[in-house]
């Protein structure tokens, strides 16, 4: 029984870290730009498809696909921010959600046109495709890799925002963009850079999903964006540490739900979100009002 609980915990940590990798970009964009980017799941999907394409073109080298695939998606994110999103920053959230939802539909159709409407089988990552024994049971090596990557991304984001000059400029632009602009900060380009970096995080999650989800399908970003939004809401919109904690909780809850209460898997997640919002509407680390 004990080894079963340990394996369920490891599976939950893996799922939680995978959600965190996607939710971190969503949270960063909202925290700095104040934009609820509903298209973040679509960028995740594009990251997976571009990674797969690069991987296939360069001789099944997953790591090159993971490097170059998300970079291509960053180019798409730059065009979206520069020529569309920048003009709705001053509008209410429903307008931003409508615009970003339009890109979800556009990208879903583009994927069907370019890669086809069917599913694509995921490859096995050399060196990470096997399993290792833990307490007498085998556990996927790639899931352990995801568990290690999640905290590294969290630590890197914290260091970049709290311990660097660029991080201080970003936080200043986020707190008071007019004052930051008056002091010489190039706020529009800062926002573009933050949005593109957030898109890169989502696309990186998509690239890492290539050997994780089994099949690539058009619309695959729609399920992950729901979980990422739940994580962002219960953690507190714009709070990276809240998103990290929320992802851990949702991952473990989902894993234990799948193991012991499979009929109530998603039900448990939304019940948790409802309870958190009743107890603390702004989430674990969110501000009472923006």
């Amino acid at each position: 029984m004990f080894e079963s609980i340990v394996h369920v915990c490891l599976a939950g940590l893996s799922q939680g870290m995978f959600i965190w990798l996607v939710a971190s970009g969503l949270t960063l964009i909202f925290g700095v730009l104040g934009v609820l980017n509903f298209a973040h799941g679509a960028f995740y999907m594009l990251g997976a498809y571009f990674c797969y394409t690069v991987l296939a073109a360069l001789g099944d080298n997953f790591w090159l696909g993971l490097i170059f695939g998300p970079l291509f998606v960053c180019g798409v994110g730059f065009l979206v921010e520069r020529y569309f999103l920048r003009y709705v920053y001053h509008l209410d959230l429903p307008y931003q959600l409508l615009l970003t939802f339009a890109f979800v539909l556009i990208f879903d159709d583009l994927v069907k046109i370019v890669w086809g409407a069917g599913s694509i089988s995921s490859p096995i990552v050399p060196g990470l495709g096997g399993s290792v024994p833990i307490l007498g049971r085998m556990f996927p090596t790639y899931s352990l890799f995801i568990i290690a990557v999640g905290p590294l991304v969290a630590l890197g984001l914290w260091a970049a925002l709290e311990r660097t000059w660029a991080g201080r400029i970003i936080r200043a632009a986020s707190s008071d963009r007019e004052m930051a602009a008056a002091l010489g900060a190039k706020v529009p380009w800062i926002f573009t850079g933050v949005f593109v970096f957030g898109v890169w995080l989502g696309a990186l999650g998509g690239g890492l999903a290539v050997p994780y989800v089994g099949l690539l399908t058009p619309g695959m970003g729609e399920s992950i964006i729901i979980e990422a939004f739940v994580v962002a809401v219960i953690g507190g919109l714009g709070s990276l540490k809240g998103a990290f904690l929320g992802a851990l909780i949702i991952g473990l809850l989902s894993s234990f739900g799948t193991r012991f209460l499979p009929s109530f898997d998603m039900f448990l997640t939304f019940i948790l979100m409802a309870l958190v919002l009743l107890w603390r509407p702004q989430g674990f680390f969110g501000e009472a009002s923006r």
Side-chain angles (χ1 to χ4, degrees):
M1 185 64 180
F2 175 71
E3 64 271 18
S4 177
I5 297 295
V6 170
H7 275 251
V8 172
C9 285
L10 288 173
L13 287 175
S14 172
Q15 185 173 349
M17 289 302 93
F18 190 70
I19 299 171
W20 151 250
L21 289 172
V22 180
S24 60
L26 179 75
T27 302
L28 179 68
I29 290 171
F30 182 82
V32 177
L33 279 67
V35 172
L36 270 177
N37 180 24
F38 201 79
H40 199 68
F43 289 122
Y44 158 89
M45 174 187 66
L46 289 177
Y49 273 90
F50 274 110
C51 178
Y52 175 83
T53 301
V54 174
L55 182 155
L58 298 180
D60 290 338
N61 189 320
F62 172 72
W63 303 111
L64 288 178
L66 191 60
I67 292 172
F68 292 108
L71 290 180
F72 288 129
V73 185
C74 285
V76 179
F78 171 79
L79 295 175
V80 169
E81 195 281 340
R82 177 63 183 82
Y83 295 104
F84 296 94
L85 204 56
R86 181 176 293 188
Y87 300 101
V88 299
Y89 284 154
H90 63 288
L91 299 180
D92 293 334
L93 286 179
Y95 294 98
Q96 300 170 2
L97 283 173
L98 281 175
L99 176 63
T100 54
F101 182 69
F103 280 107
V104 173
L105 302 178
I106 292 171
F107 291 147
D108 279 356
D109 284 343
L110 284 176
V111 165
K112 292 175 184 174
I113 293 171
V114 176
W115 285 280
S119 57
I120 299 175
S121 297
S122 301
I124 295 176
V125 181
L128 295 176
S131 301
V132 294
I134 297 178
L135 296 178
R137 294 189 179 187
M138 304 304 289
F139 191 80
T141 308
Y142 193 76
S143 295
L144 293 175
F145 170 69
I146 294 295
I147 292 174
V149 169
L152 290 177
V153 169
L155 186 62
L157 281 174
W158 172 82
L161 290 173
E162 302 291 337
R163 292 289 185 265
T164 66
W165 175 81
R168 289 193 289 272
I169 296 296
I170 290 172
R171 286 187 283 124
S174 171
S175 300
D176 192 332
R177 62 189 68 179
E178 288 80 12
M179 180 60 73
L183 293 175
K186 306 293 184 185
V187 176
W189 287 108
I190 292 172
F191 280 15
T192 300
V194 170
F195 184 82
V196 170
F197 184 69
V199 166
W200 177 80
L201 287 171
L204 179 67
L208 289 169
V210 171
Y212 186 82
V213 299
L215 293 173
L216 307 186
T217 56
M220 62 184 284
E222 292 162 15
S223 58
I224 193 73
I225 193 62
I226 292 174
E227 293 180 302
F229 263 115
V230 170
V231 163
V233 167
I234 67 174
L237 288 173
S239 170
L240 287 169
K241 60 182 177 183
F244 186 80
L245 177 62
L248 276 178
I249 294 173
I250 293 298
L252 290 171
L253 187 65
S254 178
S255 181
F256 276 94
T258 302
R259 176 66 177 81
F260 298 106
L261 295 169
S263 300
F264 299 95
D265 182 13
M266 288 302 294
F267 176 76
L268 293 174
T269 299
F270 288 105
I271 280 293
L272 172 66
M273 184 175 72
L275 291 175
V276 170
L277 291 180
L278 285 173
W279 166 61
R280 190 174 168 83
Q282 67 271 32
F284 292 141
F285 295 99
E287 298 176 357
S289 62
R290 290 183 59 86

